Amino acid sequence: MSDQVVEREVGRSRLRKEDARLVTGQTNWTDNISVSGLLHMAILRSPMAHARIDRVDVSAARERPGVVAAFSGRDLAGGLGSLPCAWPVTEDIVLPDHPPIAVDEVRYAGDPVAVVVARDRYTAADALEAVEVDYEPLPPVLDLEAALAEDAPLVHADKGTNRCYVWPLATGESFDTVRERADVVLKRRYLQQRLIPNAMEPRAVVVTPLAASGEYTLYSSTQIPHILRIMLSMVTGIPEHKLRVIAPDVGGGFGSKLQVYGEEALALTVAQRLGRPVKWTESRSEGYLATHHGRGMIQDIEIAATREGKLLGLKVDLLADMGAYLMLVTPGIPILGAFMYPAIYKMEAYDFTCTGVFTTRTPTDAYRGAGRPEATFAIERIMDELAVELGLDPVELRRRNWIGHEEFPYTSIAGLTYDSGNYEAATDKALALFGYDELRSEQQKRNERGDVVRLGIGVSTYTEMCGLAPSRVLRDLRYAAGGWEAASIRMLPTGKVEVVTGTSPHGQGHVTCWSQIAADVLGVPFEDVEVVHGDTRAAPQGMDTYGSRSLVVGGAAVHHAAQKVVEKARKVAAHLLEASEHDLEFTHGVFSVKGSPEARKSIQEIAFETFSSHDLPDGMEPTINAEHLCDPENFSYPHGTHLCAVEVDTETGRTTIRSYVCVDDVGRVINPMIVEGQVHGGVAQGIAQALYEEAVYDDEGNLVSGTMADYLVPSAADLPDFVTDRTETPATSNPLGAKGVGESGTIASTPAVVNAVVDALRPLGVTEVAMPCTPQRVWEALQSAQSVKEASA
């Protein structure tokens, strides 16, 4: 046996294994899949936000050349159940039926009303114009406050209310009590505009039936193949063991593919009816209507403090837009944020209430950060306002209230136990990289000169709960599923390794990072590890990918499974080397006897010896493969400080980001290059909410920002160069010490940018600019402030 020394992988900036296929076009996107006899499905969608359906006639569409079938909602209703909501957050939550295709009533513009199936995609799409639908208009429900009035028109008339639920949380002292003794009490209202996910790959689904056995394979551009399999079985009645779900290459999701969509259920039902393979791929404009939206919230925030700047309490009242239906985790998204409004700060009282409201708009659900960006935005915005009120520098106010590094583990006022952190170190490093004092000095001089282009500086300090996992916590929050994750390690006879993971990547770099984790534990070369994922037959157990859980839960499962392989291999090695297990050392993938280093066996040799099974310990099965299901006892809590400098042209309202610095603590890093990419992408999406993106509806409930010409997504040219760095306090909730990074940039960046915009304009009388801070909104805010100034003169 040749000596092998394997360099440590964890902590290395490895190029991603996945990228070679992606950049050379050797990918397997769902829309690329073609099978013999494939039919194409197109969906007719309601042009109205709210209406009764009097008649749907698909007969003319059926007569079109190339059309194989056409169905109304009533034609398909018998074989379809309601789409699932897995998170009924309160016992008395209003849970309306959610048909995959409308039968009697449409409740948002984009609601499906008919399906056409043809031999090619374009014939199916063209035949939609032959479907006749008679609608009886009903009043739209768009304003969250007006929707709760007694005489408001109802989205679901049979439920008698547009109020979906009320979820309260009150901890510590009474907020009323601390308000009475506070020197300063501030109230602010913030609006979280609706956002539309823009994954590079549109949603798509392909279903291939095997009629003889009643089996179906469903390919979907999904984040959740395992959950999708269970839920589609419940919706369609197809037994779970007869349904295989595969997530092939998935081109981004950002939460939008954490969903069980009606189109998936429809494709499965149509394939079942016709006994033929069926494909559906959304157009980009169709996706704007039908893919769930993110955010959508009114935040009323009240904060109480002493004149010295000590926080006493926080009160949060939310109105959260559910949209027309409750999708997979719609009601729970604002509740995730409930625990994050106190952020990194100490206080004595916390009072939170969220009211979910139905409207006649596209349903909302998870979008990168899922409740936690909204929470961070609100607390970081009002902290800046409090700093102004008290005459304190915004960084100094935060210093006076954050949890000190020596206080960890620390139980926050919201009831979460933060296991580790060092907010001081991250902030000090960020301030130094940013040149904070120098920028403040420049700002003062420019303000004194009355420059047309003003400089603003924004601060955002954050923490978040990552690794959506502790099953008992999810039980207490009334979430239907657990939060564990599965992994198995297969040692092949040739010494190669297969890692089977229950997580399902869509751009995060799982294949690379899981290879690094397994290679380190097993002592095998990185190149010798292959990762299997995204197929419910090849990887039968898993809870999938969302909530920054993949590394801290799924990666931990890989680590534990690999350790089990080593311990199984140790038994075989001890037997072959005629030594006690306790006398064996395992280094760089080699077992050796203490004091006799020439007596040794590599783990690859053990794999072959186990395969041959010629000389195994008595009673041992001929395998060293192992699996592990990981269910951590706690979340992980990344944190950091983001600083943004903007220049705002007061004549045009245009905002330009001059510099952006972020220092994040994501625990121990597996692959720095991948972490850097996640931070860059997250910051870009947070900036997009602050300055560019908004789903806009007219008074009739029509989406008027339904194309990329109307819904602004920033390109690389619109974004600054980011200066990024890290501090490291390892997590104690998983053996890797990792904390998660996928959502951190999005959570931290939005308030940093908006704080900077308001900071630039505050000397001119502007105290708030609603997101997105477009040139028009900035200009209007300046004009309004000038009018107030003139009126008071």
Side-chain angles (χ1 to χ4, degrees), residues 683-700:
V683 170
Q685 282 189 282
I687 290 173
Q689 178 174 8
L691 298 180
Y692 296 96
E693 297 187 26
E694 182 178 22
V696 179
Y697 286 82
D698 65 17
D699 292 341
E700 299 301 315

Side-chain angles (χ1 to χ4, degrees), residues 179-197:
R179 183 200 285 125
E180 289 178 4
R181 69 171 189 266
D183 299 314
V184 177
V185 178
L186 294 184
K187 295 182 180 180
R188 294 291 186 270
R189 168 168 284 199
Y190 301 120
L191 304 180
Q192 290 284 330
Q193 78 271 35
R194 275 177 168 248
L195 301 178
I196 302 177

Side-chain angles (χ1 to χ4, degrees), residues 269-307:
T269 297
V270 168
Q272 185 182 33
R273 288 256 187 133
L274 302 179
R276 296 271 299 276
V278 171
K279 177 190 284 188
W280 171 81
T281 303
E282 70 178 1
S283 66
R284 183 64 68 176
S285 57
E286 187 178 21
Y288 274 53
L289 287 171
T291 296
H292 74 240
H293 293 177
R295 314 290 191 253
M297 187 183 293
I298 298 173
Q299 302 171 305
D300 287 311
I301 312 296
E302 187 172 355
I303 196 166
T306 68
R307 63 176 52 88

Side-chain angles (χ1 to χ4, degrees), residues 138 234 255 285 320 384 428 456 549 563 594 636 663 683 709 712 735:
L138 294 169
M234 296 168 63
S285 57
D384 260 33
D428 288 345
R549 69 186 302 274
Q563 285 187 322
K594 295 176 184 177
S636 65
V663 175
V683 170
L712 300 183

Side-chain angles (χ1 to χ4, degrees), residues 147-167:
L148 297 176
E150 287 189 10
D151 59 348
L154 298 176
V155 180
H156 299 276
D158 61 319
K159 299 302 180 184
T161 181
N162 290 322
R163 182 178 283 103
C164 177
Y165 67 85
V166 178
W167 193 93

Side-chain angles (χ1 to χ4, degrees), residues 551-620:
L551 178 59
V552 297
V553 189
V558 171
H559 175 88
H560 284 300
Q563 285 187 322
K564 288 182 177 180
V565 168
V566 172
E567 292 312 304
K568 283 187 174 183
R570 184 184 300 274
K571 295 182 183 297
V572 180
H575 176 75
L576 294 174
L577 295 171
E578 299 181 345
S580 166
E581 292 179 38
H582 303 294
D583 289 335
L584 292 187
E585 294 179 332
F586 183 68
T587 307
H588 297 305
V590 176
F591 292 98
S592 60
V593 180
K594 295 176 184 177
S596 302
E598 70 282 354
R600 55 198 314 196
K601 288 284 185 181
S602 72
I603 198 166
Q604 292 96 329
E605 289 176 305
I606 299 298
F608 188 83
E609 293 281 359
T610 307
F611 165 72
S612 69
S613 67
H614 292 166
D615 188 12
L616 294 180
D618 291 342
M620 183 173 182

Side-chain angles (χ1 to χ4, degrees), residues 333-409:
I333 297 305
I335 307 310
L336 280 175
F339 300 97
M340 288 286 98
Y341 281 85
I344 67 173
Y345 306 119
K346 295 180 286 189
M347 60 188 71
E348 299 166 22
Y350 177 49
D351 191 325
F352 173 93
T353 304
C354 178
T355 301
V357 184
F358 290 113
T359 63
T360 53
R361 287 187 280 226
T362 301
T364 59
D365 210 299
Y367 180 69
R368 196 170 189 170
R372 291 153 293 163
E374 298 93 309
T376 300
F377 180 86
I379 185 63
E380 290 303 288
R381 279 291 296 116
I382 204 165
M383 284 294 283
D384 260 33
E385 297 298 308
L386 181 60
V388 171
E389 185 74 16
L390 295 170
L392 291 173
D393 181 271
V395 175
E396 176 58 27
L397 177 63
R398 287 163 171 84
R399 286 188 192 278
R400 294 185 185 187
N401 289 283
W402 64 37
I403 303 156
H405 69 274
E406 73 282 353
E407 298 179 83
F408 290 97

